[in-house]
Amino acid sequence: MGVREADDLCRVAGALVMKARTLLADHAAVQAQALQAVDTLRRHTVRDDLAQMPVTRLKDVTGGRLRTGALERSGITTVLQVHDMSAYRLQELPGVGAQTAKQIKAAADQIEEAARQLASVKIERHDWMSEALVVALKRLLDAGTELPFHVRAAHDVNTTFTPLLKAAHPARSRWRLLTASRRRRLEARRAVETLDALLDGAAQVGSEFPQVITDLLRPPSSGDEAWADFEYRSSDYYSLLADLAGERVTEGVLPDDVLARVNAQPLDDAYRRVSLRGYQSFGARFALAQKRVMIGDEMGLGKSIEAIAALAHLASEGATHFLVVCPASVVVNWVREIETRSTLRAQKIHGNRREAALDEWMKEGGVAVVTLDGLHRLTPTSRVAMLVVDEAHYVKNPATKRAKAVAAWCGAVGRVLFLTGTPMENRVEEFRVLVGHLDPALEISQAGPQAFRKSVASAYLRRNQEDVLHELPDRVEADEWVEFSGDDLDAYRQAVADRHFPRMRRAAFASPATSAKLKRLTELVEDAEANGLKVIVFSYFKDVLTAVGETVGTPYRLSGDIDPDERQRIVDDFSATPGHAVLLSQIVAGGIGLNLQAASVVIICEPQLKPSTETQAIARAHRMGQTRKVQVHRLLAVDSVDQRLLEILAAKTRSFDEYARRSDLAESSPAAVDISEQNLAEKIIEEEQRRLLG
């Protein structure tokens, strides 16, 4: 290559480097504004914490050796007061010497440092510090989901091309080539050749740098605009915030060797379009490092994002085919999540185009999404790099067709990821079945909770909302007890006499004109309307929802017989409605897989036969992305099947909390937690017949 060509090449490469440096500088400046807002909010949070700490906590830092009586006699009652004072000022207090003042000040500073390390940044509406943070985060989010990719590309261009341009400098002038040493001339020619080989690809990536710079330099949004955007996609804000602020990662209970493998596992994000929370990154790396696992994170923590992150990583390593198996109700949601959160192509193997979509997926690859009941139509193949089974508790019965199909696929695929928020609904044996699909050879200890936990730790990871979503708004639960109206009581008595358990459960709505439950529900909806809040009403029974709909008048209704595409459209329309709206949903239809965080009031018309059913339903609203306090109202009739159900099911709820919630499963007597629906109905009918009919 001649001198002129080399000079032209270096000039183009130099211009590209300048664009990359400009992008990096502008990104750093916008990011610095967000970090400054984070620091301001965190310091305020820490000061609030220290203001609540009694000065006696200083003793904890010094092993009880420090005396605080002199401080308290001088009116110093909190750690914050001590932290704000200098050692010299402390020394002026009666009874505090120079050495003691230094110890007191050091203890207060140590507590402040610990509080700062542990402080979670929580965004509060109508707070000026939170508003500054939301505005700063919006500038980064508005630059697009590809911003991290462009920043990395700019960094690569800068670090790769800068030394090459320096080495190529002599090749840009005949005089420099003549006066350069033989070694420098050789280095220059090699650098020019390398630049020539790299420039086309880098220039293609760099062609987007100017638009990214323009997006970053847009004027900040107003506070109102930023808050409106935060309401719409708050989970994106908190994911970005977690990246900036440094999130504590809850690792669950894992053996040291497993933890070491997970921490050493890389996670490539070239095919991913979403930032991960720290715990989500850990979950994805856990799935990759251990290969065949179950993630039992509580509902609302983004298990699907963890799965997509794992798929994207495998795609970056050259894998081409993936399979997601899920209930029919969430097929559309999975397709949208995959295409929104990654650059992977999703194929819906469901509906009229099933065969054509299957052929296309087999030829071109991507992520096939198939229903649990449709999986048996697909022939297991080792071409699939990872099998993801969502709502995996649906395959807990090994005798069912869906469980057999999943087992066959588990046998053919090397990497398997089960996702479920309820790994155990009725008995511990269900958990054993799920783990058995992953590793039939895994020996589960029966020697108590600790031994059980260790034996399953290599295949099971569980995190709860309170452990990782420190910003999640509170959930307020209220039991709304009412008495039967005369007509409803007559209907209830007749249902008891007929031993008709379903009619007993919905008797409180038998006469809508006089129903006490419906009256209370109407009051709750009217209160939500006055406050501009969205409401979800859950019931197991369609006729109950019909009665509610005729009373409150709403176009938004979900039931199990609605097509998944239509179901998602209804949810989207409900979420997009400004202000107040009411969504009616069968609890088995809306309680699984759908994101309903637009609503902050949840009304449950009757107790459910499985505690997990209600938990899942509530988690549709009280999940990552929720920005408002969630109100949960349970409509209950005194001296009825409602009361009997709550009493009997309390033991099942305690069992789930004890065994599954903490990744601390233990062998238990089946009688302690296993109550079939049929036995439950018969038990309650007999009790109510004795009470009402003698």
Side-chain angles (χ1 to χ4, degrees), residues 143-378:
T145 57
E146 302 289 338
L147 178 61
F149 168 77
H150 293 306
V151 170
R152 284 193 303 275
H155 180 268
D156 291 344
V157 166
N158 186 43
T159 56
T160 301
F161 280 47
T162 297
L164 288 173
L165 284 169
K166 183 177 181 181
H169 188 65
R172 303 181 67 177
S173 162
R174 287 189 178 85
W175 173 252
R176 294 193 195 101
L177 277 175
L178 289 173
T179 57
S181 67
R182 183 173 180 277
R183 180 179 62 81
R184 285 286 288 124
R185 288 197 300 271
L186 182 60
E187 288 177 351
R189 291 193 182 100
R190 287 175 177 171
V192 169
E193 290 172 358
T194 303
L195 283 170
D196 189 36
L198 296 177
L199 189 56
D200 283 346
Q204 186 175 358
V205 174
S207 65
E208 299 185 44
F209 289 173
Q211 183 59 52
V212 178
I213 293 168
T214 300
D215 292 338
L216 283 169
L217 295 181
R218 284 178 180 152
S221 302
S222 68
D224 289 342
E225 289 175 330
W227 280 121
D229 191 58
F230 174 72
E231 289 262 356
Y232 178 69
R233 50 172 179 165
S234 61
S235 59
D236 292 339
Y237 278 79
Y238 274 115
S239 293
L240 178 57
L241 176 59
D243 279 347
L244 292 174
E247 183 180 57
R248 303 191 307 279
V249 179
T250 299
E251 299 164 341
V253 181
L254 295 178
D256 290 343
D257 59 331
V258 174
L259 189 59
R261 281 197 297 274
V262 175
N263 288 333
Q265 171 66 47
L267 188 62
D268 194 293
D269 59 359
Y271 290 86
R272 179 163 35 92
R273 285 178 173 165
V274 62
S275 296
L276 300 181
R277 304 288 295 261
Y279 73 88
Q280 291 172 331
S281 172
F282 187 89
R285 288 183 285 116
F286 174 73
L288 292 167
Q290 295 300 98
K291 296 186 178 180
R292 302 174 68 88
V293 301
M294 176 162 57
I295 294 181
D297 288 349
E298 192 171 11
M299 275 80 73
L301 296 185
K303 293 186 290 293
S304 62
I305 292 177
E306 297 176 37
I308 291 169
L311 300 182
H313 174 85
L314 293 174
S316 73
E317 294 185 335
T320 57
H321 289 73
F322 310 97
L323 180 61
V324 171
V325 187
C326 61
S329 60
V330 294
V331 166
V332 176
N333 193 61
W334 262 102
V335 170
R336 293 175 65 179
E337 284 285 289
I338 292 165
E339 294 180 342
T340 301
R341 308 294 186 180
S342 75
T343 59
L344 303 178
R345 185 179 183 185
Q347 284 281 4
K348 183 175 70 169
I349 314 298
H350 184 60
N352 296 332
R353 287 195 68 256
R354 180 192 301 119
E355 296 302 327
L358 179 60
D359 289 342
E360 194 172 337
W361 171 67
M362 291 296 291
K363 292 176 183 176
E364 299 184 9
V367 186
V369 183
V370 65
T371 67
L372 284 162
D373 292 326
L375 180 63
H376 70 277
R377 299 189 183 96
L378 276 62

Side-chain angles (χ1 to χ4, degrees), residues 116-120 242 245-250 278-279 467-468 470:
R116 188 156 46 83
Q117 293 292 330
L118 295 174
S120 297
E247 183 180 57
R248 303 191 307 279
V249 179
T250 299
Y279 73 88
D467 297 328
V468 295
H470 306 291

Side-chain angles (χ1 to χ4, degrees), residues 379-446:
T379 303
T381 171
S382 60
R383 291 181 66 189
V384 170
M386 176 175 275
L387 168 69
V388 177
V389 182
D390 191 20
E391 306 291 352
H393 52 278
Y394 282 139
V395 298
K396 65 191 177 186
N397 184 349
T400 61
K401 182 185 292 186
R402 61 175 59 159
K404 291 177 181 178
V406 167
W409 272 93
C410 287
V413 176
R415 294 180 181 272
V416 181
L417 173 57
F418 280 6
L419 306 176
T420 173
T422 53
M424 184 186 77
E425 291 187 296
N426 290 311
R427 60 187 188 276
V428 175
E429 185 59 30
E430 296 170 358
F431 184 86
R432 294 179 180 276
V433 171
L434 294 179
V435 173
H437 285 307
L438 300 170
D439 185 1
L442 186 66
E443 296 184 4
I444 301 179
S445 173
Q446 301 184 33

Side-chain angles (χ1 to χ4, degrees), residues 122-155:
K122 188 172 182 179
I123 296 174
E124 301 280 0
R125 285 192 63 86
H126 310 303
D127 173 77
W128 69 268
M129 289 177 290
S130 293
E131 182 170 304
L133 176 57
V134 170
V135 169
L137 292 175
K138 187 174 185 298
R139 293 187 70 185
L140 291 168
L141 290 172
D142 284 348
T145 57
E146 302 289 338
L147 178 61
F149 168 77
H150 293 306
V151 170
R152 284 193 303 275
H155 180 268

Side-chain angles (χ1 to χ4, degrees), residues 599-657:
S600 57
V601 178
V602 178
I603 301 175
I604 302 175
C605 292
E606 72 283 321
Q608 304 306 305
L609 303 187
K610 295 179 181 178
S612 59
T613 302
E614 181 180 301
T615 302
Q616 285 181 318
I618 295 171
R620 295 306 105 206
H622 194 242
R623 62 190 294 110
M624 184 170 58
Q626 179 59 260
T627 62
R628 300 178 185 273
K629 181 183 294 184
V630 175
Q631 305 171 38
V632 179
H633 300 273
R634 299 179 183 85
L635 302 179
L636 305 166
V638 297
D639 291 330
S640 74
V641 61
D642 294 353
Q643 192 166 331
R644 307 294 167 256
L645 265 173
L646 292 183
E647 292 166 356
I648 294 174
L649 294 179
K652 292 180 74 173
T653 302
R654 285 195 300 272
S655 296
F656 178 81
D657 288 344

